[in-house]
Amino acid sequence: MARKLVIVESPSKAKTIEKILGRNYEVVASYGHVIDLPKTKIGIDVENNFEPQYKVIKGKGEVLKKLKEKAKKASNVYLASDQDREGEAIAWHIFNYIKQPDKTRRIEFNEITKTAVNNAIKNPRDINDNLVNAQQARRLLDRIVGYKISPLLWKIINRNASAGRVQSVALKLICDLEDEINAFVPQKYWEVSTLIEKDINLNLVKIADEKVNKIFDEKVIKKLKKDLKNESLTLEKIEIKKKSQKPPLVFKTSTLQQLASSYLGYGASKTMRIAQQLYEGLPINGENKGLITYMRTDSTRISVDAINMAKDYITQNYGEKYVGKYIVKNSKSNVQDAHEGIRPSDINLVPDEIKGYLTNDQYKLYKLIWDRFLVSQFAAMQYEQMQINAVNKEYLFRGTINKVIFDGYYKIFKDEDEIKTGDFPELKEGSVHPIEKLNIEEGITKPPTRFSEATLVKKLESEGIGRPSTYASIVETLKTREYVEIIEKRFFPTYLGYEVKDELVKNFKDIMNVKFTANMEKDLDKVEEGTVEWVQLLRDFYSSLEKDIVKFEKEIDEIKTRRVVADVMDSEGNPMVLKTGLYGKYLISETNEKEKISLKGIPVSPEEIRKGEIFVKEAVEKLQNNKKGIPTDYFDENGVKYVLKVGRFGEYLESENYEADEKRMSLPLELKQKYRKGSVIELDGVLQINEEMKRLFEIDRKIIEEAGVCEFCGKPYEIKTGRFGKFLACTGYPECKTIKNIKTGKVTRVTEKEEKTKTKKAASKKTVKKSTSKAKTSAAKTKKTATVKKKKTTKKS
């Protein structure tokens, strides 16, 4: 009897599902996308209703061939790719390729558990054309923007410049915030509070019926001090209200990425990669189990079964009174309600009990998801709030005291916005209390904080830009394109990033408009709902874009033909001219083409370019001096002075007499970040780093001293820096390969046997790679010979 075939994206997902379904089913993987637009051209017939010219992805031909063969032999075929638009598109491409329409159906599930998978098999459906069209429209929109605009940017910026329908708006948000920070002017302010008997703290909230938070006028403070000196406050009103605090909602994609970044230090891509592993299934007690529900979702809905599962767990472990009496509902119109929030598939798989089956990263993320789901299903925290209003003349002070009635979810979790609680004091309205202390705190307003990965994702979501499946890729693109620099986990736009943003804002106002991009996302949602036709959506977008492209092309032609001279002279004393090449802007001598100066990293004013004369002499001289090294005040114990240089791997220190002593050292990470932020002091052209270097060396010396000697050979340790930061390594290397974790003190020793195994595996991989390379070369030669023979035969004929 023919077996039933189930097609999924990944081998690990296939392995988990095959164990659930049993031997009557064969579960195979497509290894992700199998068909897509071509890489070398736009691949869209704009004139023919935006017909996409799909191609089999390189390397996937054999995969598709096998899927087609297996589909022919199977009694039924189930397409079980992920339940979002992208998963639907993968299923649609496979459906069209295997050509078995009568026996092929689509199935979907939110979690890879026995119940969910078997229910999906019992309830198959047809491919959802609206979902496919929504994904197809998004893909084509992104392709049009990238392939139509990027080549234009190459002509006036460099080959690294590119446009992206969503990434470019994200870049604009980062640049706009940076402009806000640079334009920020700090102001001095004062905050006022009083302390009366029984340690009751009251904040100033009104002066003469006007609300007060921060006071920016020093005259007001002087008057206040005079008015309230040796005075008392009358308790005008005391009110007690009953309140409650609900627990945080279960995770959706954006909040998972934000909390994983804040609590675990994971980037968006790393979070989604680990979440994918947890979703697809891992071996637990000899059985592959999917540990969490689908992780690309903007829903916080929880199924009734999951609520009951949590209810049983909470009742058993904490008591029935701690069970929440509410069901979370979606509040946003664009939420894909077929999805649930991200939760454990089985709450009885307690993180600490299965820790031994998970990697450290998997355990941490699973625990974060498991804890959040459990907390979300707890009862609210109940409390009473006493509000105290106290007056003196025109000044109104207010304070609140909270008293817990029922701890609810506070029993297991208190977040950063924890409500401060205590007992109520005995107070009466109308009573008079002397001011024991008048607190006047002076402060200075601070500029906005730059985006971290977490806050950028939060901003994108709040603005309606992108969707759960796109947040991680947006962040990664900004980093890989070098539009941003990450310093102390914050986004700093680079000069290239600004250059790209400025050109796009100037020439493509719609694409760089936050509201326009958000509305486009809503239109894609309408395509999914079936209320907007995808071809018409593309047609409307393209007609507007085409006008901007034509206008921009004309401007580029003018720029390319314009002669722009610089205030930098060539060797003959003639002004050099500005050109744009493959790697960006540069200066060139008009009489000697070999005489060039790169302007990489040097801002060039667009206004100056339009006028035909740029002023970059000072910046060029500084750049050329920096190549020789920036003088520092640092000298080592031998009195050798060092200069700072920038190489392929960042900033480093080099001896002033490097050719003789060959002394070099990497700049400590803390100093690197300070230098990049521009917060290292420079006096008379000399970077002041000596004091900081000595301090950091002293910290390292103490770490080495506390570490003692190697537990195996008795030699001292030294500090090294690896992929994951600093660690202690035995100075007896290579004979002794012992390392020690600085934070935990855990010692790891690589034995001779392990080293041999490692070397053997590396050699094996190298051999396989070499063999593959030889095979490819051989195949290429055979193909070339066959082509030559064919040509000769044709010639003879």
Side-chain angles (χ1 to χ4, degrees), residues 57-186:
I57 294 170
K58 192 176 179 182
K60 292 295 179 78
E62 199 59 37
V63 173
L64 278 169
K65 190 179 173 185
K66 284 178 183 177
L67 291 179
K68 193 170 186 175
E69 287 170 3
K70 287 179 184 291
K72 279 181 185 177
K73 295 173 187 174
S75 59
N76 296 84
V77 180
Y78 297 102
L79 303 173
S81 45
D82 290 341
Q83 59 168 354
D84 55 11
R85 293 173 187 168
E86 203 168 349
E88 202 73 16
I90 291 172
W92 179 68
H93 283 303
I94 294 171
F95 178 88
N96 291 332
Y97 188 88
I98 61 177
K99 292 183 169 61
Q100 299 293 323
D102 296 335
K103 59 181 178 180
T104 304
R105 302 295 300 282
R106 172 82 164 110
I107 61 170
E108 61 177 353
F109 34 79
N110 187 51
E111 57 190 1
I112 305 176
T113 59
K114 194 169 185 177
T115 305
V117 172
N118 283 322
N119 281 342
I121 293 285
K122 288 173 189 173
N123 299 285
R125 61 170 175 81
D126 293 330
I127 298 282
N128 185 326
D129 289 335
N130 290 336
L131 270 175
V132 173
N133 289 338
Q135 173 60 25
Q136 188 165 241
R138 173 186 283 282
R139 185 79 183 94
L140 299 188
L141 281 168
D142 292 345
R143 177 55 71 101
I144 287 167
V145 170
Y147 271 69
K148 288 287 184 180
I149 300 176
S150 297
L152 302 178
L153 294 176
W154 298 345
K155 292 178 181 179
I156 56 170
I157 299 176
N158 66 38
R159 290 286 294 201
N160 280 341
S162 73
R165 189 180 60 84
V166 181
Q167 98 202 13
S168 298
V169 179
L171 175 62
K172 182 179 184 295
L173 291 173
I174 293 168
C175 291
D176 288 351
L177 180 59
E178 191 68 22
D179 291 340
E180 199 179 327
I181 292 166
N182 292 333
F184 180 81
V185 178

Side-chain angles (χ1 to χ4, degrees), residues 280-307:
E280 290 180 347
L282 297 163
I284 311 289
N285 279 327
E287 185 184 345
N288 260 51
K289 290 186 178 181
L291 296 180
I292 64 169
T293 52
Y294 192 55
M295 64 284 155
R296 292 188 182 92
T297 174
D298 46 15
S299 172
T300 50
R301 186 179 64 82
I302 299 296
S303 70
V304 174
D305 288 344
I307 289 168

